[in-house]
Each structure stands twice: as C-alpha cells, then as structure tokens.
Amino acid sequence: MKVLVAGAHGYTGQLLVEMLANDSNHEAYAMVRDYTQAGRMKQLGAQQIITADLENNVSKSPKGMDAVLFAAGAGSKTGPEKTLAVDQVGAKKLIDASRVQGVRHFVMLSSMGADNPDGPDKYYLEAKGAADAHLRSSGLPYTIVRTGSLTFDKGRGLVEIKEKFNDQEHRSISREDTARVMIASLTEENVKYKTFELLSGKEPIEKALKKL
C-alpha cells in the first residue's frame, strides 16, 4: 500500500514514516512543508518526499496514494489562527484532494474531546472536530483515531479502545502506540467508517481493533 503521511516531520509523523518503511506491506511517502526536512525523511526510510504546505495547494499531494495517514498539526506553541489554518482548513483541503485523487482510506489522528470542545484547548478541539465531521461526510473510507494525552513513553503495544470513554478518563497514550494503531487501521476492515477513542491499556492492538 502506498501511504502518504501528512505531518511527516512531526513527532508522531516520524514514527509513522519509520514504521511504514520497515513494513514490507507498505511504502511511506512523506509529506513535508519544507524540503530541508527531506534528509530526515530519507534517513527514516521514506520511499519518496512530497513537498506540500497544508496552508497552500495540496491538490496533487495524494495522487497515486492508496491511503493517507493525517498526523499534521500546528503544534501547541501556535495560536488559534495557525491551528485553524492547519488542523481544520488544511485537513479539509487534503481530505477533498484525497477524494478527487481516489484514495481508498483516510486515517485521521484526532483528539478526545473533539465532539465537546471545552477548556483551555477549546479552539484546538473545535478545529479537530470540524475536520473530523468533514471527513465523515466526504464519502471517503475513513478511520478517526481520537487519543488521550500523547506522551513520549516507549510503546508497549497494549491499548484500550472504545467508541467513547466516560468523561472521567484522564489517561494517556504513547505516540509510538498511536502510530501503531493508525498503521494497523490501514488493513483492519473492521475500523473503516468508524471513530474511536484510544488510551493505553492491557489489550494487544490488533485484538482491540477487531473488537470494535
């Protein structure tokens, strides 16, 4: 499967590129905003570098791709305008381009709370929720992975997945295990056209996905 990783130079994006490159079933196509980031992508094993900025024209970026893994984000140090431009408007543009280009599966990295934006991250959650809604209505086969707080802990390959956790859950999930879940979603038919929430847990990833 030819897989475009949007946000390939971010922390989770780099994990996705490396994991895909080491998986004989997939080829990693790294989408980066700046070609100066290409060296790192090649080091991680990317099959090809695609230079495109989510704030500009991305209409050709998914051309020839079987799937897209969306892990792009404006980051925590930017304000609402940048978040809106990347996490919402940019995501919508890539979703529309993917539909036009015949992509067969779009996996979106989202966040718990995107359906109920509140608190200090309200503008971020609103942007993610709008992008998720656009993907669900796009006609594309999709999977939306909504995580708890992302950590830099070593992944254990053990998770808990539910369509919706209760509001009292404040657990986290490692970026490494998040990347593994996104890649596993590419070939697990059971998660197509589904939105689910992801936290660290006690169940192997493949088993947890099959139970959805």
Side-chain angles (χ1 to χ4, degrees):
M1 202 179 279
K2 293 181 178 179
V3 185
L4 179 69
V5 180
H9 199 256
Y11 294 116
T12 307
Q14 290 190 42
L15 290 167
L16 288 168
V17 171
E18 187 172 30
M19 288 179 189
L20 287 167
N22 289 320
D23 186 333
S24 59
N25 294 314
H26 302 306
E27 293 177 351
Y29 289 74
M31 179 176 154
V32 295
R33 191 183 64 235
D34 190 334
Y35 197 75
T36 59
Q37 300 166 338
R40 176 61 178 155
M41 297 299 103
K42 289 175 182 174
Q43 193 178 44
L44 292 170
Q47 178 84 11
Q48 189 175 321
I49 316 301
I50 295 168
T51 308
D53 187 344
L54 285 165
E55 294 184 68
N56 294 306
N57 187 356
V58 294
S59 60
K60 302 297 184 190
S61 305
K63 188 175 182 180
M65 295 297 114
D66 297 305
V68 173
L69 298 179
F70 190 94
S76 58
K77 295 178 182 176
T78 61
E81 286 184 12
K82 193 78 168 175
T83 297
L84 180 69
V86 175
D87 295 76
Q88 181 175 324
V89 179
K92 287 181 176 181
K93 285 195 290 189
L94 191 59
I95 290 164
D96 292 344
S98 297
R99 184 184 64 246
V100 171
Q101 296 292 348
V103 168
R104 300 202 304 266
H105 197 176
F106 195 109
V107 180
M108 173 74 83
L109 176 57
S110 186
S111 179
M112 290 174 65
D115 274 342
N116 250 326
D118 202 4
D121 296 325
K122 184 178 179 181
Y123 69 88
Y124 166 73
L125 294 172
E126 284 176 341
K128 296 304 288 184
D132 293 353
H134 188 75
L135 177 56
R136 280 194 292 259
S137 65
S138 68
L140 274 171
Y142 69 86
T143 304
I144 298 170
V145 183
R146 290 181 165 171
T147 69
S149 299
L150 292 171
T151 73
F152 294 96
D153 298 341
K154 179 72 177 167
R156 300 180 302 126
L158 299 173
V159 299
E160 187 174 2
I161 292 172
K162 291 183 180 179
E163 287 191 15
K164 185 79 176 170
F165 285 93
N166 80 44
D167 292 338
Q168 307 308 310
E169 299 283 356
H170 294 295
R171 304 204 317 270
S172 59
I173 181 75
S174 72
R175 292 174 185 275
E176 190 174 325
D177 282 338
T178 298
R180 286 174 178 156
V181 167
M182 290 177 73
I183 291 171
S185 295
L186 292 172
T187 50
E188 177 50 68
E189 285 295 319
N190 187 49
V191 301
K192 276 189 177 176
Y193 301 102
K194 287 186 182 171
T195 301
F196 60 82
E197 297 184 344
L198 171 66
L199 294 170
S200 60
K202 299 178 180 177
E203 202 158 40
I205 288 168
E206 288 75 11
K207 185 177 179 183
L209 289 174
K210 285 184 186 301
K211 282 173 65 177
L212 265 173

